[in-house]
Amino acid sequence: MSLLNSVLKVFVGDKSKRDVREMQPLVEKINSYGDQFLALTHDELRAKTTHFKSVIAEACASLNEQIEKLKAEVNESTDIDRNEELYAEID
């Protein structure tokens, strides 16, 4: 198997290296924010955290509302098959 894997890597390439190369731009973008955050005080970092939490909560509000509606429908339903579909949609 080792020989086969070596041959495949030559022609197809190494998946882990492709994955790293694919993720590298995102890592560089994330690292570019490092200096900005190093310059912040503890209180400013706390304020940023609060801000990020509120942005995330706003972005997720409609999804959370849909999930709650689906859960209410599950509680009202007695059809097991329908409940399975609803749970799959919730997931």
Side-chain angles (χ1 to χ4, degrees):
M1 276 315 245
S2 176
L3 178 62
L4 179 62
N5 286 340
S6 298
V7 171
L8 283 174
K9 281 184 183 180
V10 169
F11 290 108
V12 179
D14 189 358
K15 177 155 175 32
S16 63
K17 287 182 182 177
R18 278 195 317 265
D19 290 345
V20 168
R21 193 170 38 248
E22 195 175 296
M23 296 298 293
Q24 193 60 39
L26 181 61
V27 170
E28 289 171 1
K29 185 174 179 180
I30 291 168
N31 286 339
S32 71
Y33 293 105
D35 292 334
Q36 292 175 5
F37 288 105
L38 286 174
L40 297 176
T41 66
H42 291 297
D43 290 333
E44 291 170 331
L45 281 173
R46 286 186 196 96
K48 281 279 189 194
T49 300
T50 304
H51 171 71
F52 290 145
K53 286 181 179 181
S54 67
V55 169
I56 291 169
E58 286 177 29
C60 295
S62 65
L63 290 175
N64 289 334
E65 185 177 309
Q66 288 176 342
I67 290 170
E68 291 306 316
K69 285 180 183 177
L70 291 171
K71 286 181 179 179
E73 189 175 340
V74 166
N75 289 335
E76 295 171 4
S77 174
T78 58
D79 183 4
I80 295 173
D81 293 327
R82 177 65 180 144
N83 287 351
E84 285 297 321
E85 292 172 7
L86 292 171
Y87 283 127
E89 193 173 339
I90 290 170
D91 289 341

